[in-house]
Amino acid sequence: MSGADGNKSSQTELSSQVFLDLVDSVIADVASECHRVARLGLDRDLEVVEEELRLSVEARAKVADPSNNLETNTKFVVDIFGQTHPPVASEVFNCMNCGRQIVAGRFAPHLEKCMGKGRKARAKATRSTTAAQNRYARHSPNPRYSPYPNSVSENQLASGSPGVAGEDCTVRENVKGG
Amino acid sequence: MKHSVNRPPTPDEDDASEGFEKDEVTLREIINVKLVESGEKENLMELVRDRLVECGWKDEMRIACREHVKKKGRKDVTVDELIRVITPKGRASVPDSVKAELLNRIQNFIVSAAL
C-alpha cells in the first residue's frame, strides 16, 4: 500500500527532522556560549593573540619610520638577531701592501699612508708591471669622482702620483668585505 | 488519528514536495508536542549533548567560533552570525554513530507514539 510506504519514508524524514532540530539546538547553545565568552573577553588566549597583533603592528610602524633609526641609535643599531655592532670595526688583520697588522677600523687611513705618501710604498709598487698596466687603464677617466665612497686613497693617488691601481682594486674589495 | 494524515502528497501542486512539507509541518508539530510532554525531548537533548561533547564535536565548534571571532573582532560578533557560521559545518560533522543512535531512539518514539 502506498500509505504504508509513505508512512515509512515520512517516518524517516520525520526522525531526521527531529534529529536536525536537536542538533540545531546544541549548535545554538555553543554559539551563544562562545559569543558570551568573546564579548566578555573571558578567553585569555584570544586576548594574547590580539595583544601580539597590536604589538606587531606597532613594531612594524616603528621600523617603517626612517627618521627614528637614522638619528638615534647610530652607535648602537640593533640588527634582526639582536646584535649590536660597534661603530668601529675591531678585527685585526694583515695589510697586503706592507704586511703589518692593522685594526680593520683604521685600515683606510693606514692605506693612505701605506700606499700614497710613503716613499717606500711607491717604490714597491712600480716594481710590479701588471700594476703599472692596470694603473693606466683605470685612471684615465674621472680621477676626481670615484664610484666607491670609501676610497679616499684613490683620490689622493690620482691627484698625487698615479699609484698602484691594480692593487687598489683588490684592496678596495677587501676593505668592503671586511 | 486520521489515516488521511498519512496519505501521499497531493499531486495537484506545482512543487510536489511542498505539499509533502505542509503535511510534515503539522506532523512535526505534533511529534514535538508529544516529545516535550512525555519528557523524551529532554532525554534526547541530554543524550545528544553528552555524545557530542564526548566525541569532541563541541570543541571543534568552539574552535570554529573562536576563529570567526578572531577574524571579525571580538566586539562585533553576534549570536546569529556565529550560528550561521557554524551550522553547516556542525550539521555535517556529527559522527555517524551518534546520528544513528539518535535516529533510532527517535524512530522508536514515533512508532511507540502510535502514529
Side-chain angles (χ1 to χ4, degrees), chain A residues 9-168:
Chain A
S9 69
S10 66
Q11 255 190 27
T12 0
E13 183 77 27
L14 204 53
S15 7
S16 300
Q17 282 297 329
V18 172
F19 173 69
L20 282 179
D21 278 343
L22 289 173
V23 172
D24 283 346
S25 301
V26 183
I27 288 176
D29 284 346
V30 173
S32 164
E33 193 182 320
C34 288
H35 174 261
R36 173 180 167 267
V37 165
R39 290 298 289 256
L40 293 180
L42 293 177
D43 193 349
R44 269 298 300 166
D45 288 339
L46 205 65
E47 291 277 304
V48 169
V49 169
E50 281 181 10
E51 188 72 22
E52 283 177 1
L53 226 85
R54 210 169 39 80
L55 286 173
S56 72
V57 167
E58 273 181 30
R60 222 178 277 267
K62 231 185 205 175
V63 169
D65 182 13
S67 61
N68 206 0
N69 264 344
L70 287 179
E71 287 160 15
T72 63
N73 295 347
T74 42
K75 291 223 168 193
F76 302 107
V77 176
V78 180
D79 70 13
I80 58 169
F81 298 111
Q83 300 168 332
T84 49
H85 297 284
V88 178
S90 53
E91 190 184 316
V92 178
F93 67 103
N94 296 324
C95 170
M96 53 290 302
N97 201 28
C98 62
R100 293 215 300 226
Q101 295 227 307
I102 307 294
V103 179
R106 298 294 307 169
F107 188 57
H110 161 77
L111 272 190
E112 278 183 72
K113 300 175 193 126
C114 174
M115 302 181 118
K117 307 179 200 164
R119 283 161 108 260
K120 285 189 186 172
R122 245 185 281 153
K124 210 185 191 183
T126 46
R127 266 182 248 151
S128 139
T129 46
T130 39
Q133 281 174 3
N134 284 345
R135 178 206 334 150
Y136 287 120
R138 284 210 47 143
H139 270 289
S140 32
N142 291 340
R144 277 282 167 213
Y145 301 97
S146 89
Y148 304 102
N150 62 346
S151 60
V152 179
S153 46
E154 187 178 30
N155 282 338
Q156 293 235 345
L157 285 174
S159 53
S161 64
V164 283
E167 290 189 33
D168 208 319

Side-chain angles (χ1 to χ4, degrees), chain A residues 2-3 7 10-35 38-41 43 45-47 49-50, chain B residues 6 20 24 27-28 31 35 44-45 48-49 57-58 61-62 65-66 69-70 74-75 77-79 82-83 86-87 90-91 94 99 102-103 106-107 110-111 115:
Chain A
S2 58
N7 207 359
S10 66
Q11 255 190 27
T12 0
E13 183 77 27
L14 204 53
S15 7
S16 300
Q17 282 297 329
V18 172
F19 173 69
L20 282 179
D21 278 343
L22 289 173
V23 172
D24 283 346
S25 301
V26 183
I27 288 176
D29 284 346
V30 173
S32 164
E33 193 182 320
C34 288
H35 174 261
R39 290 298 289 256
L40 293 180
D43 193 349
D45 288 339
L46 205 65
E47 291 277 304
V49 169
E50 281 181 10
Chain B
N6 293 327
F20 186 61
E24 275 292 292
L27 204 49
R28 272 171 71 184
I31 290 282
L35 277 170
L44 288 173
M45 282 293 290
V48 164
R49 283 206 190 98
W57 176 95
K58 187 170 176 189
M61 292 302 112
R62 289 184 62 203
C65 285
R66 270 168 59 164
V69 169
K70 263 186 219 171
R74 162 166 94 79
K75 314 271 181 173
V77 221
T78 62
V79 184
L82 282 176
I83 293 177
I86 59 172
T87 293
R91 282 189 181 181
V94 176
K99 188 169 180 181
L102 261 300
L103 283 175
I106 296 168
Q107 274 174 357
I110 293 176
V111 165
L115 281 168

Side-chain angles (χ1 to χ4, degrees), chain B residues 96-108:
Chain B
D96 290 334
S97 56
V98 175
K99 188 169 180 181
E101 188 183 352
L102 261 300
L103 283 175
N104 217 3
R105 270 188 75 146
I106 296 168
Q107 274 174 357
N108 289 344

